[in-house]
Amino acid sequence: MTAAPIHPTQANAEKRYVVTRADLPLSCPLPSMALWNSHPRVYLPIEAERECQCPYCGALFVLED
């Protein structure tokens, strides 16, 4: 597990995020995002379809190699 960043990015600021295998297991909000102003963290199954949508905020995640 990686440490939380000192200055986290705003959660759910974008509607589309490109992620890599280094970001797996994938969660929304991402570990680099602040949790205090977001929905609960949910883990998303992106490996099979290579894209998925967060059921809370609707953000689309696309897996690139």
Side-chain angles (χ1 to χ4, degrees):
M1 179 175 256
T2 59
I6 296 173
H7 300 287
T9 58
Q10 181 180 352
N12 315 108
E14 303 291 328
K15 289 296 173 191
R16 184 176 188 273
Y17 295 94
V18 176
V19 295
T20 65
R21 295 211 177 267
D23 297 311
L24 299 181
L26 178 63
S27 66
C28 183
L30 295 168
S32 61
M33 296 176 180
L35 278 177
W36 67 271
N37 64 348
S38 184
H39 58 72
R41 179 165 282 144
V42 59
Y43 287 90
L44 305 170
I46 196 170
E47 294 86 1
E49 300 292 323
R50 303 188 58 82
E51 67 178 44
C52 63
Q53 193 167 16
C54 175
Y56 283 101
C57 66
L60 177 67
F61 291 87
V62 178
L63 181 62
E64 283 189 351
D65 283 335

